[in-house]
Amino acid sequence: MNYSYEEFLEDLDTGREIHFIYRNENYYIGAGTGKFMFWRFYDSASEIIEEDSKDLLRKVILDGKQIKEVWNLLEIDSVF
C-alpha cells in the first residue's frame, strides 16, 4: 500500500481510523467521540487523547521520534 504521510493527515482530520504496525507492535490512531486518540494495542497506559489532531501528533512518540520521522518504518495495516 503506497500511503503517504499527507494522505494519513487528511484521513485523520476527516475522522478515519488507521491501524499500523511499528516494530512488530500494533497501534491505533483516529478520531472517535469527537476527540483524536492513539494507543498501542493491549496497553491502556499508552493511550493519548487530544481535541486536535496536530496536538495528538505532537504527543505521539515512537522510539523518541514523532510519527512523521518514522513514517517509512510503519506498516499501514488498515484505514477505515
Side-chain angles (χ1 to χ4, degrees):
M1 177 179 202
N2 191 9
Y3 184 64
S4 72
Y5 184 74
E6 290 71 27
E7 288 173 295
F8 162 72
L9 293 177
E10 189 175 305
D11 284 347
L12 188 58
D13 281 339
T14 58
R16 298 189 73 183
E17 300 177 8
I18 297 101
H19 289 182
F20 66 90
I21 300 165
Y22 176 71
R23 296 193 182 230
N24 296 317
E25 293 279 353
N26 289 288
Y27 294 87
Y28 164 92
I29 191 166
T33 64
K35 298 184 189 292
F36 291 90
M37 297 177 266
F38 165 86
W39 63 78
R40 184 172 61 216
F41 280 49
Y42 312 111
D43 179 7
S44 60
S46 69
E47 185 176 73
I48 301 170
I49 300 173
E50 285 296 331
E51 302 285 333
D52 178 84
S53 64
K54 289 170 185 51
D55 289 338
L56 179 68
L57 289 171
R58 271 192 287 278
K59 291 185 177 180
V60 173
I61 303 297
L62 302 170
D63 289 337
K65 297 179 180 176
Q66 292 183 331
I67 287 179
K68 185 176 187 174
E69 298 174 277
V70 295
W71 182 254
N72 292 334
L73 302 174
L74 304 184
E75 177 188 332
I76 304 303
D77 186 41
S78 59
V79 179
F80 53 95

